[in-house]
Amino acid sequence: MDYKSEQNDEKEALQAIFEEDFTDLATTPCSFMIKVKDLEVQLSGPVYVKITYRERYPDEAPAIEIPLRSHVLTPQQHADLLGHLKTIAEESVGMAMVFTIVEAARDWINHNVTPDTPDEEKPQDQAEEEPSDFSDLLSSPVDPEVTDSRNTGGRWNFVIGLVGKPSAGKSTFFNAAMAQNQARTAAHPFTTIEPNFGIAYFSVPCPCAKMDHRCEAAYGHNYKGERLVPVLLKDVAGLVPGAADGKGRGNRFLNDLLDADVLIHIIDASGQTDENGEETTGYDPTKDVRWLNIEIHRWIYDNIMNKWESIVKRPLKLLDMFTGYHASRSTIQSAFTAAGIDTRRLVETLPGWDSNVLPKLVTEFIRIRFPMVLGLNKSDRPEAENNIQRIQEAYPNAATMPMSALSECKLQELQKENLLHYRYGEPSFLTDDEYLRPLSSTTVEQLDRIQNNVLAKFGSTNVHNALNLAVSLKSPTFAFPVQDLDTLMSLDHRQKGEVPGVLKDCIVLRPGTTVGHLHTVLVHALELLKGTFVRAEAREINGDKRVVRKDEVIGPSNNVIKIMTSPKSSHS
Ligand SMILES: Nc1nc2c(ncn2[C@@H]2O[C@H](COP(=O)(O)OP(=O)(O)OP(=O)(O)O)[C@@H](O)[C@H]2O)c(=O)[nH]1
Ligand SMILES: [Mg+2]
């Protein structure tokens, strides 16, 4: 028997029968979910049956699940219903059986579930109602007082994650920010399968701008005199609606986000691709903002709901669950506080939580743990103009950045070919120079479009500004350690085989990092210093020097800093 085609035929028939109640999840192995309809009892949320065909289906039963976020059933009912459906499936082996299984689920619920079934473990209608508006996730920037940083100072290897649907332009943005083409891009969805990592640069005001010194920043300055600081950029596979249920690359994709400190949601603001990244016209990209927020919310919310029974027995476990998202204790504490939950009383209060408490907690957690920039890409296309306005109006508190990744790539490419003068991130380019090669008429047209639709309107392609904005959402702090406060010569780089330079180093630190912490970072993480802490001095903008205490927090008035260590073990 050709199992594959038999399975496809049944799936197509089911799609036609159940229409919007059918959700396609994955193709290999074929998996989908059907909402159980015509229930005579009023439940606190819908019940779904998830089916995954096994290789020899229908000559063997499919895998059946009732996703646990359908926590509208008690654990006992859940187990009984599942057992019942598995029996039906075994009895039906040999013929297409999914319709029978879904009908059996409906009949079983109608006969066995009463709406008022007492259930102490049930989190009171917690399960299905997702909050209708996720714009809370996008308030920005995150107040440094409530970020994870206060108690966890130290070096910060900052990671920016690029998220968005297929074909939104994530890899193009990645390439543009990398200033060299590394990631594969294409107009068809899911070009990127495994995440790409690369080093990009954001910029910070350089202290040398206000001092009488020409600095030798390790990675140079941009055209505004700001110094460039490396940041890790992660380009992940496209995300599609339904990912939290396993659609597209599903949870694997979501897990790829865990390394990121902040996210840039790359949005096709031209409305020329639908939510699956397929070409279309007139698509409203505000929908992408909404569904992507819902997916991230559901990813975390569902993971918690799947463990709800044991969380109710041991409420403090909920705190541990959040650490799985690479969040520090203080991030988690901040999320609880922002959601109005007193963690000291969690054991008493959690079992009686209202249905809106957990969704609110997850929203606050995401806001603090994964702040997000909306990168309104493809702004070179005329259709983008209205959409950009639409998104900015719909999400007035969001950090938005109209931009064009492709324009940045194009300008860099033409610069390399000596067809124009341009530098990454600049507001303009130059073509009327006798040393440049002549431009073709197509290139002139392309450049006109970039000039009129992007540079003139938004000041630059904004790829670089999107990185800056993303970093700013987590408010890192910076230190410029030196060995001499007069010459501003940096620490000794001999161990690394490099020469020191004036104000060469800029160390990215978590806000709240103290001078003592910085000493530890320089000795242990960066090996730029040896010995135990003795004292430290900072140089202020006006040139004055002052002693700084070991417990002083690093900030703009003390970040050009010299730390003296015990002569015994410092390098000679
Ligand atoms: N007009 C225009 N097209 C763009 C822009 N950025 C990206 N594109 C095009 O959009 C298409 C998809 O770009 P990719 O960078 O491959 O998209 P992706 O988000 O990485 O897609 P997946 O890897 O499939 O998730 C390509 O044809 C790009 O040239 C832009 O700023 N303007
Ligand atoms: Mg890609």
Side-chain angles (χ1 to χ4, degrees):
M1 186 190 292
D2 180 353
Y3 293 115
K4 266 265 152 338
S5 74
E6 183 142 332
Q7 292 170 7
N8 279 339
D9 289 350
E10 186 188 24
K11 186 174 142 188
E12 269 177 29
L14 291 166
Q15 260 165 328
I17 296 167
F18 290 103
E19 295 178 328
E20 74 275 13
D21 296 325
F22 181 101
T23 311
D24 201 359
L25 298 177
T27 39
T28 36
C30 175
S31 164
F32 49 85
M33 211 161 64
I34 295 172
K35 187 168 161 186
V36 181
K37 286 292 274 282
D38 300 327
L39 295 177
E40 287 156 15
V41 282
Q42 177 84 37
L43 299 176
S44 58
V47 175
Y48 296 92
V49 176
K50 180 178 166 189
I51 301 283
T52 307
Y53 288 146
R54 296 204 168 92
E55 205 177 320
R56 295 179 56 253
Y57 175 90
D59 280 345
E60 60 182 332
I64 306 174
E65 290 163 73
I66 301 165
L68 265 177
R69 73 196 162 80
S70 305
H71 223 299
V72 289
L73 303 174
T74 67
Q76 193 55 52
Q77 287 167 343
H78 183 269
D80 289 350
L81 173 58
L82 203 54
H84 176 65
L85 299 185
K86 285 182 176 166
T87 311
I88 301 271
E90 288 305 333
E91 285 169 5
S92 313
V93 160
M95 55 189 179
M97 65 182 84
V98 175
F99 186 78
T100 315
I101 291 171
V102 178
E103 286 214 304
R106 181 199 60 202
D107 293 346
W108 189 93
I109 293 170
N110 284 343
H111 284 108
N112 293 281
V113 179
T114 49
D116 296 321
T117 311
D119 174 24
E120 272 148 35
E121 287 181 9
K122 191 168 78 167
Q124 299 199 351
D125 303 351
Q126 192 88 56
E128 276 310 312
E129 280 315 308
E130 268 149 2
S132 55
D133 185 7
F134 280 83
S135 54
D136 290 5
L137 292 181
L138 297 169
S139 348
S140 69
V142 177
D143 181 350
E145 293 291 332
V146 298
T147 59
D148 49 338
S149 19
R150 288 275 131 184
N151 311 318
T152 54
R155 188 159 74 119
W156 206 345
N157 289 322
F158 213 92
V159 181
I160 299 177
L162 303 178
V163 294
K165 69 186 179 187
S167 295
K170 297 178 294 300
S171 298
T172 310
F173 179 91
F174 180 87
N175 289 335
M178 224 54 62
Q180 55 189 346
N181 283 0
Q182 286 171 345
R184 236 153 57 87
T185 63
H188 52 80
F190 294 111
T191 312
T192 304
I193 302 296
E194 295 303 329
N196 291 305
F197 280 99
I199 304 283
Y201 296 89
F202 65 99
S203 46
V204 297
C206 185
C208 81
K210 294 189 179 141
M211 293 178 174
D212 259 355
H213 285 267
R214 256 192 75 212
C215 96
E216 294 159 316
Y219 304 96
H221 286 88
N222 66 11
Y223 69 98
K224 289 184 194 162
E226 299 161 327
R227 70 161 51 209
L228 297 174
V229 178
V231 59
L232 203 59
L233 194 59
K234 188 173 182 185
D235 170 24
V236 298
L239 173 70
V240 291
D245 288 320
K247 203 170 168 202
R249 297 182 54 76
N251 278 322
R252 269 193 64 185
F253 161 87
L254 290 161
N255 290 332
D256 281 342
L257 301 184
L258 288 178
D259 303 321
D261 292 294
V262 291
L263 304 175
I264 301 180
H265 179 184
I266 305 284
I267 294 169
D268 177 353
S270 74
Q272 311 272 43
T273 46
D274 68 13
E275 61 271 35
N276 294 313
E278 305 289 350
E279 266 184 54
T280 184
T281 51
Y283 177 80
D284 173 5
T286 48
K287 289 199 223 161
D288 292 339
V289 181
R290 192 177 143 68
W291 71 250
L292 188 125
N293 289 341
I294 289 177
E295 289 306 328
I296 295 179
H297 193 277
R298 278 189 48 197
W299 167 49
I300 296 176
Y301 180 78
D302 288 0
N303 282 344
I304 294 171
M305 285 310 294
N306 283 336
K307 302 264 160 50
W308 193 255
E309 283 167 40
S310 56
I311 292 171
V312 172
K313 287 180 198 144
R314 277 189 48 230
L316 294 176
K317 198 179 155 173
L318 184 58
L319 295 165
D320 293 336
M321 279 210 70
F322 283 108
T323 57
Y325 301 96
H326 299 193
S328 67
R329 282 276 157 194
S330 48
T331 298
I332 298 168
Q333 183 59 51
S334 303
F336 275 79
T337 307
I341 302 164
D342 182 350
T343 45
R344 289 165 305 184
R345 298 190 53 237
L346 203 56
V347 176
E348 305 121 69
T349 57
L350 180 139
W353 274 5
D354 259 9
S355 60
N356 57 0
V357 180
L358 184 59
K360 167 101 176 107
L361 172 61
V362 173
T363 300
E364 292 301 337
F365 176 72
I366 295 171
R367 194 175 66 79
I368 296 168
R369 170 63 188 83
F370 295 109
M372 195 188 288
V373 168
L374 303 181
L376 311 179
N377 194 31
K378 309 199 186 179
S379 67
D380 52 303
R381 292 204 163 151
E383 303 86 347
E385 186 162 10
N386 283 339
N387 287 330
I388 288 172
Q389 205 183 347
R390 210 165 171 181
I391 294 173
Q392 288 177 330
E393 280 170 12
Y395 296 95
N397 296 323
T400 55
M401 186 59 72
M403 62 186 205
S404 172
L406 191 62
S407 301
E408 180 61 49
C409 288
K410 190 80 207 164
L411 290 171
Q412 287 176 24
E413 184 191 311
L414 296 175
Q415 151 71 26
K416 273 187 209 132
E417 290 170 16
N418 200 29
L419 289 161
L420 47 71
H421 293 298
Y422 174 73
R423 276 203 304 168
Y424 169 65
E426 281 192 13
S428 58
F429 56 85
L430 232 161
T431 49
D432 52 356
D433 180 330
E434 54 183 312
Y435 300 106
L436 294 170
R437 289 167 48 212
L439 299 170
S440 70
S441 58
T442 339
T443 308
V444 170
E445 264 171 46
Q446 284 174 330
L447 286 175
D448 278 350
R449 201 158 86 153
I450 293 176
Q451 176 58 38
N452 298 331
N453 292 355
V454 184
L455 303 182
K457 268 195 215 153
F458 306 118
S460 80
T461 66
N462 277 344
V463 167
H464 185 64
N465 287 332
L467 297 173
N468 288 341
L469 181 60
V471 172
S472 75
L473 294 185
K474 278 261 174 125
S475 314
T477 191
F478 307 98
F480 305 89
V482 294
Q483 53 177 301
D484 185 315
L485 285 174
D486 293 315
T487 62
L488 298 179
M489 191 53 71
S490 70
L491 297 171
D492 197 336
H493 280 249
R494 262 178 297 177
Q495 283 220 347
K496 295 176 160 184
E498 293 172 14
V499 288
V502 176
L503 286 171
K504 178 168 178 163
D505 304 305
C506 172
I507 319 289
V508 183
L509 301 164
R510 295 182 182 272
T513 300
T514 61
V515 172
H517 265 128
L518 175 64
H519 166 260
T520 311
V521 167
L522 293 173
V523 172
H524 297 289
L526 299 172
E527 298 182 349
L528 288 174
L529 203 59
K530 284 182 182 167
T532 49
F533 183 93
V534 176
R535 64 196 286 269
E537 276 182 19
R539 176 171 156 158
E540 301 197 39
I541 305 288
N542 62 10
D544 288 354
K545 292 172 207 156
R546 70 176 175 95
V547 175
V548 288
R549 295 188 323 271
K550 196 176 176 184
D551 63 357
E552 215 171 288
V553 170
I554 305 269
S557 72
N558 63 9
N559 63 6
V560 176
I561 189 167
K562 174 184 179 186
I563 297 179
M564 282 145 274
T565 52
S566 62
K568 218 167 87 190
S569 44
S570 69
H571 45 233
S572 50

